[in-house]
Amino acid sequence: MADWVTGKVTKIENWTDALFSLTVHAPVHPFTAGQFTKLGLEIDGERVQRAYSYVNAPSNPDLEFYLVTVPEGKLSPRLAALKPGDEVQLVSEAAGFFVLDEVPDCETLWMLATGTALGPYLSILQEGKDLARFKNLVLVHAVRYAADLSYLPLMLELQQRYEGKLRVQTVVSREAVPGSLTGRVPALIESGALETATGLTMTAENSHVMLCGNPQMVRDTQQLLKDSRQMTKHLRRRPGHMTAEHYW
């Protein structure tokens, strides 16, 4: 049985009509960057719950979550309507294996995300632990419109903090934006555009690719990398080149 605790909302940041961040104070157990927990509310006499990744570093007591409002959803519109001081329930013990402990050593670590699945990478990069073993870090955030790049200022701040080790690349699929690539992640890998933009190569010999987000993006990218780059899924019993987490 999950151990639920009560948290208090300290901040709501509305990025667009559909995207928002929720910051909560709650007595949760220590977690590892990249993990997720569950948020819940009592609705019509029952607890409605969904899994959300931590955006904040584990060392930061401000528990932050990046969410999209699903208009017909039971939970997300209610979470979006919360105000500072309101209560929300959380599972105290985090879960998930989308963490650096599960990633083998390599020269370049690629972190590819769509939409709100950016969260785990922000947690990992803000914490900054266990990254010395990688020579290069690449953070790719793919969205539909430029307005959806909610955390771009933080991403650029992190890029500065890592002093050339971290390269940030945004991808916008439905409009042309200066500095961003246009299109879908698999197509940008297939064409070589992503590697050209970052100045790094993505090969089985030098890279590990973390994929988080839209299941279609994850599946298509994995298939492409398997077919064209001879990359394999990473398993504990059989080390490979790709680690993935579907985000719904």
Side-chain angles (χ1 to χ4, degrees):
M1 286 285 290
D3 181 17
W4 288 85
V5 296
T6 300
K8 188 158 284 191
V9 175
T10 60
K11 183 182 178 184
I12 293 264
E13 183 86 50
N14 292 297
W15 303 107
T16 68
D17 290 344
L19 294 168
F20 66 102
S21 294
L22 188 66
T23 305
V24 180
H25 280 175
V28 297
H29 297 311
F31 66 94
T32 302
Q35 288 191 305
F36 63 86
T37 188
K38 288 182 179 177
L39 301 182
L41 292 172
E42 292 287 337
I43 300 173
D44 299 329
E46 65 169 330
R47 182 190 287 124
V48 179
Q49 59 189 17
R50 298 287 183 272
Y52 297 103
S53 292
Y54 286 105
V55 173
N56 58 293
S59 55
N60 184 350
D62 294 321
L63 309 178
E64 188 172 349
F65 305 93
Y66 185 30
L67 295 83
V68 60
T69 304
V70 180
E72 67 277 13
K74 285 188 77 171
L75 183 61
S76 60
R78 307 278 185 116
L79 291 173
L82 292 175
K83 300 284 188 288
D86 288 346
E87 292 184 344
V88 62
Q89 295 178 310
L90 298 84
V91 172
S92 60
E93 193 77 50
F97 298 100
F98 199 70
V99 297
L100 287 183
D101 284 353
E102 300 292 326
V103 174
D105 292 348
C106 64
E107 186 175 315
T108 301
L109 178 62
W110 297 80
M111 296 176 278
L112 312 184
T114 58
T116 56
L118 177 69
Y121 301 130
L122 294 178
S123 182
I124 288 168
L125 290 167
Q126 288 183 97
E127 187 70 355
K129 291 181 179 175
D130 199 28
L131 291 169
R133 59 197 177 96
F134 308 109
K135 182 181 177 183
N136 307 301
L137 305 168
V138 183
L139 177 60
V140 177
H141 189 204
V143 298
R144 292 179 179 181
Y145 300 101
D148 301 332
L149 295 168
S150 313
Y151 283 92
L152 184 57
L154 175 58
M155 292 162 66
L156 296 176
E157 183 185 308
L158 287 165
Q159 184 172 248
Q160 263 195 318
R161 188 196 303 180
Y162 281 93
E163 299 177 331
K165 179 171 180 165
L166 171 65
R167 300 170 200 212
V168 166
Q169 182 60 55
T170 54
V171 176
V172 181
S173 63
R174 298 196 179 178
E175 60 182 348
V177 179
S180 293
L181 294 173
T182 305
R184 293 185 67 241
V185 170
L188 294 169
I189 294 173
E190 188 171 25
S191 69
L194 181 58
E195 289 162 292
T196 299
T198 58
L200 295 166
T201 59
M202 186 187 293
T203 70
E205 290 72 37
N206 71 4
S207 295
H208 191 90
V209 182
M210 296 181 77
L211 297 152
C212 191
N214 179 324
Q216 193 66 54
M217 181 280 286
V218 172
R219 283 192 296 268
D220 289 351
T221 304
Q222 284 180 318
Q223 192 62 51
L224 172 71
L225 293 176
K226 180 184 173 187
D227 293 343
S228 66
R229 312 286 173 108
Q230 289 71 56
M231 289 186 170
T232 58
K233 285 185 185 179
H234 177 67
L235 304 170
R236 281 180 173 174
R237 66 180 184 276
R238 192 178 70 244
H241 318 95
M242 299 182 286
T243 301
E245 184 161 275
H246 292 186
Y247 219 65
W248 61 71

